[in-house]
Amino acid sequence: GNSVTQMEGPVTLSEEAFLTINCTYTATGYPSLFWYVQYPGEGLQLLLKATKADDKGSNKGFEATYRKETTSFHLEKGSVQVSDSAVYFCALSEDAGGTSYGKLTFGQGTILTVHP
Amino acid sequence: DTAVSQTPKYLVTQMGNDKSIKCEQNLGHDTMYWYKQDSKKFLKIMFSYNNKELIINETVPNRFSPKSPDKAHLNLHINSLELGDSAVYFCASSQGLVARVGEQFFGPGTRLTVL
């Protein structure tokens, strides 16, 4: 079955530090890959996505590149802010001829705390 | 206007009780989902409905019964609540069955505590 593995957290950084959160996946077929973010007390919201190999998703200074050869989709940001403190989830959705029903398989989440 | 709303936001109840959580979306989406998030933030899908038809039914105790009266609503009824049911339950919606081109919009969550 499909699975997503994220780096263990929590991650604690100082403001303006460089962020990397590793994500690797296992899937049959050709999945789409996503990063979702959950701010304290809220539901998840889509941060960025990539639908095919070598695509780069980007939003709010965050980037992730779909690497089929290493089955990875690592999240990066050059300079984090206190407001980036949240839980980050890597996820995949497999498009198996349109029968995937939009099912997302999530990683375990990585808690990020950014200090001033 | 809130896109995906859930009620109640907090639910505290005794073991053995029956409770319901309601979800409504005003995005015009045709697919809705229920997820369970445990205390370690792990998120797992429970059910999904497309146009009021159940399309995803993960390994969930049959004490959990979803109901979709129309495309905009998906409710979750839980019978005989157990301590292990304590979690945050998220409702989500999307347009279409395939997440390749779309995204799922999540509600704010319902924190269920079973005493």
Side-chain angles (χ1 to χ4, degrees), chain B residues 52-91:
Chain B
K52 303 196 299 174
E53 181 184 347
L54 181 66
I55 56 171
I56 295 175
N57 186 355
E58 294 293 289
T59 307
V60 176
N62 58 15
R63 297 181 295 104
F64 290 78
S65 52
K67 280 198 172 56
S68 182
D70 55 57
K71 286 198 310 183
H73 295 85
L74 180 61
N75 303 324
L76 183 65
H77 188 76
I78 315 170
N79 288 328
S80 303
L81 278 155
E82 300 178 356
L83 294 176
D85 298 333
S86 295
V88 181
Y89 291 84
F90 287 100
C91 177

Side-chain angles (χ1 to χ4, degrees), chain A residues 30 36 38 49 51 95 101-102, chain B residues 37 90 97 99-101 104:
Chain A
Y30 304 96
Y36 277 79
Q38 183 180 22
K49 67 181 180 183
T51 57
D95 182 358
Y101 301 123
Chain B
Q37 185 177 48
F90 287 100
L97 299 179
R100 176 176 286 274
V101 296
Q104 292 184 15

Side-chain angles (χ1 to χ4, degrees), chain A residues 4-80:
Chain A
V4 177
T5 303
Q6 292 179 230
M7 66 185 283
E8 293 271 341
V11 175
T12 303
L13 296 173
S14 297
E15 212 165 20
E16 298 184 5
F18 184 85
L19 168 71
T20 300
I21 301 178
N22 288 340
C23 171
T24 56
Y25 67 90
T26 302
T28 54
Y30 304 96
S32 293
L33 301 174
F34 306 83
W35 277 100
Y36 277 79
V37 58
Q38 183 180 22
Y39 296 105
E42 297 182 11
L44 280 71
Q45 53 186 277
L46 181 67
L47 180 60
L48 53 85
K49 67 181 180 183
T51 57
K52 60 183 188 297
D54 299 324
D55 268 1
K56 178 187 281 190
S58 61
N59 186 25
K60 300 181 181 180
F62 291 89
E63 292 183 339
T65 300
Y66 189 143
R67 300 281 188 208
K68 192 162 183 288
E69 63 276 13
T70 53
T71 61
S72 65
F73 193 54
H74 304 321
L75 182 68
E76 295 183 337
K77 186 174 185 183
S79 176
V80 293

